[in-house]
Amino acid sequence: PPPKAFILRFDAVPMVDASGVGALMRFLKRCQSHNTTVFITELNAGSRDVLQRMSVLGLENVRDVPLYEDALKHAAQAVIR
């Protein structure tokens, strides 16, 4: 079975460009088709702005969680459900 949750940690990502957003969107839509929640964490301000403008953070199955530790807690709750 597909996973119930993924955590994408962006702490080492200095910037997001259009090709990165395209690849990320394909992954997120595949996760959505499997009812998998994706927790995106540790975004810098520039990357968050790009992902907001490209409607990535507005997807139904995507959660923007600033702290990695909080993303772990949310993912654990998603797995239990």
Side-chain angles (χ1 to χ4, degrees), residues 21-81:
V21 170
L24 181 60
M25 284 294 279
R26 286 188 297 278
F27 169 74
L28 294 173
K29 287 183 179 190
R30 185 171 181 192
C31 288
Q32 191 172 33
S33 72
H34 291 288
N35 295 315
T36 300
T37 302
V38 180
F39 299 93
I40 297 179
T41 186
E42 299 182 339
L43 284 167
N44 63 44
S47 295
R48 177 174 283 109
D49 182 56
V50 170
L51 295 182
Q52 285 175 333
R53 283 189 286 118
M54 301 294 287
S55 301
V56 172
L57 298 180
L59 292 173
E60 184 179 325
N61 64 317
V62 175
R63 306 290 180 271
D64 177 13
V65 182
L67 298 176
Y68 177 68
E69 293 77 14
D70 291 340
L72 287 172
K73 292 174 190 173
H74 290 296
Q77 290 172 353
V79 170
I80 293 171
R81 289 185 221 145

Side-chain angles (χ1 to χ4, degrees), residues 3-22:
K4 292 186 177 188
F6 268 110
I7 297 174
L8 297 181
R9 194 172 188 184
F10 275 68
D11 64 322
V13 178
M15 63 170 275
V16 177
D17 62 11
S19 63
V21 170

